[in-house]
Amino acid sequence: MSGNPAASAPRCRLGVNIDHVATIRNARGGAHPDPVRAAELALMAGADGITAHLREDRRHIRDEDVQRLRALDAALNLEMAATEEMLAIALELRPHAVCLVPEKREERTTEGGLDAAGQEEALRRFAEELGAAGSRLSLFIDPDERQVEAAARIGAPVVELHTGEYAEAALSTTPTRIQAAWDAIDRAAALGDRLGLEVHGGHGLTFQNVSNIAAIPAMRELNIGHFLVGEAVFMGLDDAIREMRRLIDDARTGMLV
Ligand SMILES: CC(=O)[C@@H](O)[C@H](O)COP(=O)(O)O
Ligand SMILES: NCC(=O)COP(=O)(O)O
């Protein structure tokens, strides 16, 4: 990763995704552990907001969870598919933010970004209706400049760049693959910033790989969940969030521009 130290940099927010607390709860069909209690703990530990993905198949987060999360005094970023069912839920709930995410029933986790360029007209309606309801629309897209340009045309104020390929590359320990994945995110982030979009990132971020993403100058928010819930098993949710917060802040302090 390249660049020059910046004297100071705008803060990069941390959104904690509590989906997989619900995964553990649903494993036994009861009410424990409660994802809303996890959200409250996350906020006390320094999370700037809470992200929850209400999937069409409700495999983890359920409708009653988002109702209770909405009642918290915190920024709720509701992730959802671009469907009429989910739009109706979002318009009724009016969360701080809505992030449109592609969903395939057979996928284990979110595999790719939303094809914004292939459905601009349909997504423009989501932007208009959600904007009118006071929810900030974000599009979860691959770090692809064509998708970023489409997001700007659609009128989404935010793009969340899918960091999954970078996270996978970092596990591969192939320097050229890691650099290529990071370069794509850096280029897409810089373009989004130039187009006046707020740039976020998420998917697969960990203690080991987050710093280089947090150091990207245009990055304003990172949404992180699966790793934090997993790490909470060993060090507790509070400490895991505080460590992630520290890594992000340290990366911004010494960030390269
Ligand atoms: C959009 C994204 O990357 C995450 O919110 C992810 O969807 C978490 O939920 P799953 O692990 O069920 O995909
Ligand atoms: N949009 C990304 C997110 O909310 C969390 O993704 P992950 O950290 O669970 O992979």
Side-chain angles (χ1 to χ4, degrees):
M1 321 316 162
S2 61
N4 303 306
S8 67
R11 190 165 179 275
C12 181
R13 296 187 301 272
L14 170 60
V16 173
N17 184 314
I18 41 88
D19 291 349
H20 297 296
V21 178
T23 298
I24 298 169
R25 175 198 58 194
N26 296 356
R28 282 285 176 88
H32 180 79
D34 178 4
V36 177
R37 179 182 167 202
E40 290 171 324
L41 281 170
L43 294 163
M44 286 188 286
D48 295 289
I50 297 299
T51 290
H53 186 176
L54 183 65
R55 280 179 166 267
E56 291 182 277
D57 62 13
R58 278 48 172 201
R59 66 180 69 170
H60 38 56
I61 292 292
R62 292 173 175 158
D63 299 65
E64 58 272 20
D65 297 322
V66 291
Q67 292 289 342
R68 292 173 58 222
L69 287 167
R70 180 68 179 84
L72 296 181
D73 180 20
L76 173 61
N77 175 36
L78 176 66
E79 292 183 335
M80 63 181 218
T83 65
E84 292 305 323
E85 178 201 14
M86 289 298 160
L87 179 60
I89 291 170
L91 291 175
E92 186 265 330
L93 204 64
R94 295 176 176 242
H96 164 71
V98 170
C99 182
L100 296 180
V101 180
E103 286 185 20
K104 299 186 196 86
R105 196 164 296 278
E106 71 283 354
E107 66 186 359
R108 185 193 297 267
T109 183
T110 302
E111 289 167 352
L114 191 72
D115 180 17
Q119 50 185 322
E120 290 189 32
E121 208 44 51
L123 295 178
R124 191 168 289 113
R125 183 170 69 85
F126 277 73
E128 289 162 0
E129 294 202 31
L130 290 165
S135 293
R136 185 196 70 188
L137 178 67
S138 172
L139 301 183
F140 186 75
I141 58 174
D142 287 330
D144 172 330
E145 284 144 302
R146 194 172 65 93
Q147 297 295 346
V148 174
E149 289 162 348
R153 289 193 298 269
I154 286 163
V158 182
V159 287
E160 180 169 330
L161 301 178
H162 193 325
T163 54
E165 165 52 22
Y166 170 76
E168 286 295 314
L171 293 174
S172 75
T173 65
T174 309
T176 51
R177 185 182 167 197
I178 299 170
Q179 187 67 52
W182 185 87
D183 288 345
I185 297 168
D186 187 47
R187 280 197 306 273
L191 174 61
D193 194 44
R194 285 199 304 275
L195 294 175
L197 304 179
E198 184 170 296
V199 178
H200 299 177
H203 199 94
L205 295 177
T206 69
F207 290 161
Q208 291 72 31
N209 67 26
V210 72
S211 298
N212 284 328
I213 300 298
I216 291 173
M219 205 56 79
R220 292 286 175 275
E221 181 174 301
L222 296 178
N223 287 294
I224 306 172
H226 183 267
F227 174 79
L228 287 172
V229 173
E231 203 56 24
V233 170
F234 306 109
M235 67 190 293
L237 184 61
D238 183 286
D239 285 347
I241 290 169
R242 289 180 193 281
E243 175 63 2
M244 189 64 79
R245 178 76 269 171
R246 182 188 69 79
L247 290 166
I248 293 169
D249 291 345
D250 286 358
R252 300 297 287 182
T253 306
M255 66 184 265
L256 307 175
V257 290

